[in-house]
Amino acid sequence: MAAQGAAHAHQTHNHRACIEDALATARELCAARGVQLTPIREKVLQIVWRSHKPVGAYDVLDELSRSHKSARPPTVYRALDFLMGEGLIHKIESLNAYLGCVEAGAPHSGQFLICRHCGATEEIVDRKLETALEAAAKRTQFAAERKVVEISGLCARCAS
Amino acid sequence: MAAQGAAHAHQTHNHRACIEDALATARELCAARGVQLTPIREKVLQIVWRSHKPVGAYDVLDELSRSHKSARPPTVYRALDFLMGEGLIHKIESLNAYLGCVEAGAPHSGQFLICRHCGATEEIVDRKLETALEAAAKRTQFAAERKVVEISGLCARCAS
DNA sequence: GCGCCAATGCTACACTATAACAATCCGTCC
DNA sequence: GGACGGATTGTTATAGTGTAGCATTGGCGC
């Protein structure tokens, strides 16, 4: 796995298994929902999962082109849109890039810690933060639908 | 003010005065800091403040072109970069658009409530939310630098 | 076979942002 | 006054991100 990219913060892991877990979960979810995880969609999901760094749509396209010569921008964006719709990936707005979702299945807006040095991005699920977001919106009678939380900085590894 | 755009959530206000306040504050801040709020920069700031909706860089360019025929994309992006650097405007990442900062002077990452219906975007300053963000980052020894919080949904006015 | 629908192919284009270098302006120092 | 230097703006070109719109394919039910 030469192109593996950064591991979860603070630990290395078997990234091949990590990808396989994500793909297996995706297959199950799509089957259960009666939606099609087509070869293109699965390949795109796999590419996004190649690392724990957000990956740009055109990087996905470059990689996808190797196996699907006819791939074009719409090919990729359709697949990304599908995967986002199914909650299998997230878009990192501040980077215009995409990241595999670690909580696939439970629709949610992610919260992310983005290291500006190594690029590794960790999705966190922080209940208190979620509560604070809801409370902040409620304070002005705002009906929250999507919550973008992206914290940039230095991960523990890169800070040292 | 035909092009005023949405007011602060839940209330109308004298938007002309609103703009003037922002410009006056900007002039004071820049003078105090010894940086130049040039005519172009001031005009761009004024354009961003024309409404309480985030405005795209090319919309700024269209408007700026009326008074500065030589304006080009770099003209606008330089001004926007300057204004962001001085904490006078924010970029709304999920919209690729820019919004006047209501807390100019105190450098901070903003927190925003973005109405998907009317576009009005309110900057909120929620201490508890700020605390929750810090705590979430700290939990994984992440050194937070920039925090993007953008909540999309329906404002109170549009929900009814 | 035929109609239908989802997915993909394909061309073109719109929108967002930056690189790179030239020209200008203004203040300072000699 | 003139040379230098830094900040700002002018200018052209291009990189990067995302979508519109319509054609084609392939499976499935009838």
Side-chain angles (χ1 to χ4, degrees):
Chain A
M1 292 299 305
Q4 172 174 329
H8 286 312
H10 318 128
Q11 60 177 329
T12 55
H13 67 300
N14 182 338
H15 194 62
R16 183 179 293 278
C18 185
I19 296 177
E20 271 313 317
D21 280 357
L23 292 181
T25 302
R27 286 186 206 107
E28 287 169 22
L29 270 171
C30 288
R33 291 172 182 169
V35 297
Q36 302 181 50
L37 187 64
T38 63
I40 286 181
R41 290 167 176 174
E42 184 167 335
K43 185 69 184 174
V44 167
L45 180 59
Q46 184 191 96
I47 291 168
V48 169
W49 268 103
R50 287 243 165 114
S51 75
H52 288 282
K53 304 179 188 181
V55 55
Y58 281 70
D59 291 335
V60 172
L61 177 56
D62 285 347
E63 190 62 26
L64 181 64
S65 294
R66 299 187 186 203
S67 51
H68 295 74
K69 292 210 170 59
S70 66
R72 296 285 181 278
T75 315
V76 170
Y77 282 104
R78 284 166 182 158
L80 292 173
D81 286 346
F82 169 85
L83 295 170
M84 281 193 287
E86 297 302 323
L88 298 171
I89 63 174
H90 292 288
K91 179 173 184 182
I92 306 300
E93 296 288 352
S94 58
L95 297 175
N96 293 318
Y98 305 83
L99 184 70
C101 174
V102 298
E103 294 276 322
H108 62 289
S109 308
Q111 304 157 2
F112 304 93
L113 301 177
I114 307 165
C115 180
R116 68 167 159 78
H117 185 253
C118 69
T121 296
E122 185 181 5
E123 180 176 356
I124 60 177
V125 179
D126 188 307
R127 200 58 214 148
K128 277 185 188 159
L129 182 46
E130 190 70 30
T131 302
L133 288 166
E134 297 284 1
K138 202 166 202 171
R139 196 158 302 146
T140 50
Q141 270 89 53
F142 188 92
E145 293 169 353
R146 184 179 176 226
K147 309 181 201 76
V148 173
V149 177
E150 300 174 7
I151 304 176
S152 300
L154 283 179
C155 70
R157 192 184 293 272
C158 291
S160 56
Chain B
M1 291 302 303
Q4 171 173 333
H8 285 313
H10 317 128
Q11 60 177 330
T12 56
H13 67 298
N14 181 338
H15 194 62
R16 183 179 293 279
C18 185
I19 296 177
E20 270 315 316
D21 280 356
L23 292 181
T25 302
R27 286 186 207 106
E28 286 169 22
L29 271 171
C30 288
R33 292 172 181 169
V35 296
Q36 303 180 50
L37 188 63
T38 62
I40 287 181
R41 289 167 176 173
E42 184 167 335
K43 184 71 184 173
V44 168
L45 181 58
Q46 185 191 97
I47 292 168
V48 170
W49 268 103
R50 287 243 165 115
S51 76
H52 288 282
K53 304 179 187 180
V55 54
Y58 279 72
D59 291 335
V60 172
L61 177 56
D62 286 346
E63 190 62 26
L64 181 63
S65 293
R66 300 187 185 203
S67 52
H68 294 74
K69 293 211 170 59
S70 67
R72 297 283 180 278
T75 315
V76 170
Y77 282 103
R78 284 166 183 158
L80 292 172
D81 286 347
F82 170 85
L83 294 170
M84 281 192 287
E86 297 301 323
L88 298 171
I89 63 174
H90 292 288
K91 179 175 185 182
I92 306 300
E93 296 288 352
S94 56
L95 298 176
N96 293 318
Y98 304 83
L99 184 70
C101 173
V102 298
E103 294 276 322
H108 62 288
S109 308
Q111 304 157 3
F112 305 92
L113 301 177
I114 307 164
C115 180
R116 67 167 160 79
H117 185 254
C118 70
T121 296
E122 184 181 6
E123 179 175 357
I124 59 178
V125 178
D126 189 307
R127 200 57 214 148
K128 276 184 189 158
L129 181 47
E130 190 70 30
T131 302
L133 288 166
E134 296 285 1
K138 202 165 202 171
R139 196 159 301 145
T140 50
Q141 270 89 51
F142 189 91
E145 292 169 353
R146 183 177 176 227
K147 309 182 200 73
V148 174
V149 177
E150 300 174 7
I151 304 176
S152 301
L154 284 179
C155 70
R157 191 184 295 271
C158 291
S160 56

